[in-house]
Amino acid sequence: MEKTIKIGVGVYIFNDRKQLLLGLRKSKHGCGTWCPPGGHMEYGESNEAAAIREVEEETGLKISPQDICLKGVTNDFYPESGKHYVTLHFYCCRYNGTPKILEPDKCAGWKWFNLNKLPEPLMLSNQNFFKQSGIL
């Protein structure tokens, strides 16, 4: 197995009721966990461009660079798969559209959650971010 570290992005999208959008993962990596829209940064891409692209690819929501803010970075090692990520965590409070399941092989569905009633289990990178930021 090649030992590489990948860059991931996660975008915490909040609606006007301050609820967080999370999806239930179906893909092999993180199957059965909840996480915000996100994915891998592509070669040559800026942090913001990766976040914007992943949100649109996964949910169809349109967001702009001025509507996102980097809130934290985590170092995430997944022992069960041997994968290692550095994950950039963005907040977004303005978007256009309604979340749709655009990658049904990767996500079972999108739901809005109150921060004090988040589903379990969260994906490791999100657990790490919430612990680091003091949210959980």
Side-chain angles (χ1 to χ4, degrees), residues 69-127:
C69 177
L70 183 63
K71 288 292 191 175
V73 177
T74 56
N75 184 4
D76 310 304
F77 182 71
Y78 296 82
E80 70 282 354
S81 63
K83 293 185 178 191
H84 189 174
Y85 286 87
V86 170
T87 308
L88 309 176
H89 301 268
F90 290 90
Y91 275 19
C92 175
C93 293
R94 286 197 335 192
Y95 56 89
N96 288 311
T98 301
K100 298 175 183 65
I101 304 168
L102 297 182
E103 295 179 331
D105 56 322
K106 296 180 183 176
C107 180
W110 297 107
K111 291 185 180 182
W112 296 101
F113 293 94
N114 294 321
L115 281 178
N116 62 350
K117 293 184 180 176
L118 294 176
E120 292 184 3
L122 293 172
M123 192 165 188
L124 177 66
S125 59
N126 308 113
Q127 291 178 38

Side-chain angles (χ1 to χ4, degrees), residues 24-27 37-40 42 53-60 100-110:
L24 181 59
R25 292 186 60 88
K26 288 172 57 179
S27 57
H40 298 101
E42 294 180 356
R53 176 185 52 76
E54 285 290 349
V55 167
E56 187 169 357
E57 285 177 1
E58 292 189 358
T59 69
K100 298 175 183 65
I101 304 168
L102 297 182
E103 295 179 331
D105 56 322
K106 296 180 183 176
C107 180
W110 297 107

Side-chain angles (χ1 to χ4, degrees), residues 7-9 11 37-65 68 102-103 106:
I7 306 295
V9 295
V11 184
H40 298 101
M41 182 179 286
E42 294 180 356
Y43 183 81
E45 208 170 30
S46 72
N47 298 345
E48 292 79 9
I52 290 165
R53 176 185 52 76
E54 285 290 349
V55 167
E56 187 169 357
E57 285 177 1
E58 292 189 358
T59 69
L61 296 176
K62 306 272 188 199
I63 60 174
S64 300
I68 61 174
L102 297 182
E103 295 179 331
K106 296 180 183 176

Side-chain angles (χ1 to χ4, degrees), residues 14-48:
F14 295 91
N15 65 17
D16 56 3
R17 294 175 18 196
K18 298 186 175 156
Q19 294 173 313
L20 177 62
L21 182 66
L22 296 175
L24 181 59
R25 292 186 60 88
K26 288 172 57 179
S27 57
K28 187 175 179 183
H29 181 63
C31 185
T33 63
W34 291 87
C35 68
H40 298 101
M41 182 179 286
E42 294 180 356
Y43 183 81
E45 208 170 30
S46 72
N47 298 345
E48 292 79 9

